[in-house]
Amino acid sequence: METKKLPELPFDKWTDTRLTIHLILQIIGKTRLKSTTRKNHWWYITLYVTPRGFGTHGIPINEGLDSFEIELDIKRKAVIISRSSGEDIVLSLNDNPSIAEFYTRFMAEINGLGVFPKFIEKPFDVDIDKRFDEITEYHHYHWKYINTFWKLMLWNNSVFQEFSGRFYGKSCPVHIYWHHLDLVVTRFSGKKLPPMDKSARVLEKETYSHEQISFGFWVGDTNMPEPMYYSYTYPSPDGIDEETLQPKETFWQDSNGSPMALLRYEDVKNSTTPRKTVLNFLESTYKAGAKRAKWNIDELTVPDLDQL
C-alpha cells in the first residue's frame, strides 16, 4: 500500500533557482553532446537521474583507455568531474557562483583533462540570448527546492523504469533531455517514417525518424506554469483525442496542431496511490496511441511473471 506523500514543488517559488540549475545541466549536457559517440534519436546527449543528483554516465577519452563522468551532486552541493585515472574535481556551488563564473571554472577543468568540446556556447531553447560566460544574472541555489526537484525526478525515474519494462519493442533509456529539462521514456513500433521537410530542424528530423509514443514529466515552463506529465503519439493518428484515458483527471490539449495527453502533478500528489495513478496514465495513453496507430499491442506486451 502506498503511504508516502509526494512533495510540493510550486512553480513560482523557485524560478531563478530552476533556471540556474537548468543552465548548469545544459552546460553539462552540451559537453556530453560533443564528447560522446553518436547514438540514434539523440540518446547520446541525455542526462540521467542518479542516487546523488544528475549525471552523464561515463564518457570515454584517450581512445577509450580513460573516461570521465560529470555529475551535479545534490548532496555535496557541487558539480563533480570524476575520472577513471585521477582525482575527482569538485566545483563547489556553496559560494553561489553565477552561470558565467561556473562556466569559466568548468571549462578550465574540462580542458585540463584534454577535452575541448566545441558546442554553441549559448543556452538552447531557453529565452536567454547570451553566451554562458556572459550570464551573470542567474546565481540562485535554493537547495530545499533543488533537493525536492531531484527527489521527485528520482521517484518518477523509478515509475518510468517499471513502465518501460513492460514493453518488448525498442525503447529508449529513461533519461533527461536537458533542453526542456524533462524526464522521458519513448516506445517505438519499429516503423520508419518518410523524411521530414527540409525546413525542419535537425533536432526534429533525428528525433522523429520512426513512429513512436513518448511519455514524460517536466516541472513546467512559462506556457505551462506547473509540473505536468505528458504523452503524445507521433505521427498523431486520427481520433486519438476521442480515447478515454486514466486517471479521470487526464485531459487532451492541442500541442502544435496535435493532441497531447496531460496530467497535473498536483492531481498525482493528491492521489492516495500516486505510483498507480502515474502508471495508469502511462498505460492508458500508450494503449490509446498504439490502438489508433494499429500497433500489435499483444505482441509488444511483456507478460507478468506469473503468466510465464
Side-chain angles (χ1 to χ4, degrees):
M1 180 178 294
E2 299 184 58
T3 56
K4 287 189 176 181
K5 187 77 172 175
L6 292 175
E8 296 274 357
L9 191 64
F11 179 81
D12 58 351
K13 296 293 186 181
W14 67 304
T15 300
D16 289 341
T17 289
R18 187 180 66 254
L19 283 168
T20 300
I21 294 302
H22 192 170
L23 292 171
I24 287 175
L25 291 177
Q26 284 215 355
I27 292 167
I28 295 171
K30 280 174 174 268
T31 302
R32 186 179 188 221
L33 162 65
K34 289 298 184 179
S35 306
T36 305
T37 303
R38 180 174 174 172
K39 188 172 176 60
N40 50 259
H41 306 297
W42 302 103
W43 296 355
Y44 65 105
I45 75 168
T46 52
L47 302 176
Y48 307 93
V49 184
T50 76
R52 296 161 300 278
F54 306 99
T56 61
H57 290 180
I59 301 172
I61 53 176
N62 296 336
E63 298 184 348
L65 297 173
D66 198 354
S67 70
F68 71 99
E69 180 178 7
I70 312 168
E71 185 173 45
L72 170 57
D73 189 322
I74 307 302
K75 294 182 177 182
R76 296 174 68 178
K77 300 180 181 178
V79 170
I80 313 296
I81 304 171
S82 304
R83 187 175 177 180
S84 58
S85 61
E87 298 286 333
D88 287 355
I89 300 166
V90 180
L91 301 176
S92 175
L93 302 176
N94 275 314
D95 53 351
N96 300 326
S98 68
I99 293 301
E101 292 168 331
F102 169 79
Y103 181 72
T104 300
R105 289 161 50 193
F106 175 83
M107 292 307 296
E109 296 292 356
I110 289 293
N111 294 163
L113 298 179
V115 178
F116 299 90
K118 302 296 183 183
F119 54 76
I120 297 173
E121 298 179 284
K122 287 185 175 183
F124 181 68
D125 271 6
V126 177
D127 192 22
I128 301 173
D129 189 24
K130 290 182 178 181
R131 290 167 48 97
F132 289 117
D133 59 7
E134 298 171 334
I135 301 174
T136 58
E137 62 269 39
Y138 290 107
H139 48 80
H140 304 82
Y141 301 86
H142 196 311
W143 288 102
K144 172 187 172 183
Y145 288 119
I146 296 171
N147 188 71
T148 298
F149 166 57
W150 164 55
K151 288 292 184 68
L152 183 52
M153 293 290 266
L154 194 69
W155 182 80
N156 280 305
N157 188 71
S158 75
V159 178
F160 281 23
Q161 285 181 338
E162 179 179 344
F163 171 69
S164 180
R166 300 175 177 181
F167 186 67
Y168 269 132
K170 173 182 170 181
S171 181
C172 74
V174 179
H175 52 199
I176 298 168
Y177 281 110
W178 40 261
H179 61 308
H180 289 158
L181 206 57
D182 50 343
L183 186 72
V184 175
V185 63
T186 301
R187 293 177 170 182
F188 297 82
S189 70
K191 180 181 178 182
K192 185 174 176 60
L193 296 172
M196 298 181 76
D197 186 87
K198 290 183 179 179
S199 62
R201 294 194 298 178
V202 173
L203 173 66
E204 280 79 22
K205 289 180 180 179
E206 174 64 10
T207 300
Y208 299 117
S209 62
H210 290 69
E211 191 175 57
Q212 62 187 260
I213 304 174
S214 195
F215 316 84
F217 170 81
W218 90 108
V219 291
D221 55 29
T222 54
N223 296 318
M224 186 68 71
E226 60 176 309
M228 193 78 66
Y229 296 87
Y230 68 82
S231 176
Y232 63 88
T233 300
Y234 184 88
S236 184
D238 291 340
I240 189 173
D241 52 350
E242 297 172 9
E243 294 290 327
T244 301
L245 304 176
Q246 295 294 327
K248 61 181 176 58
E249 292 84 3
T250 305
F251 59 98
W252 292 104
Q253 181 167 298
D254 179 78
S255 176
N256 298 318
S258 297
M260 176 181 284
L262 296 172
L263 174 64
R264 292 184 172 90
Y265 170 67
E266 186 70 13
D267 290 323
V268 173
K269 182 176 66 67
N270 291 335
S271 169
T272 55
T273 55
R275 189 180 189 91
K276 181 179 178 182
T277 298
V278 175
L279 286 169
N280 285 344
F281 170 78
L282 298 172
E283 287 288 353
S284 70
T285 54
Y286 163 65
K287 288 180 179 176
K291 170 187 169 184
R292 290 283 176 166
K294 296 181 169 55
W295 291 21
N296 192 329
I297 296 176
D298 289 341
E299 186 176 287
L300 293 169
T301 299
V302 176
D304 293 333
L305 285 175
D306 57 6
Q307 296 176 329
L308 294 176

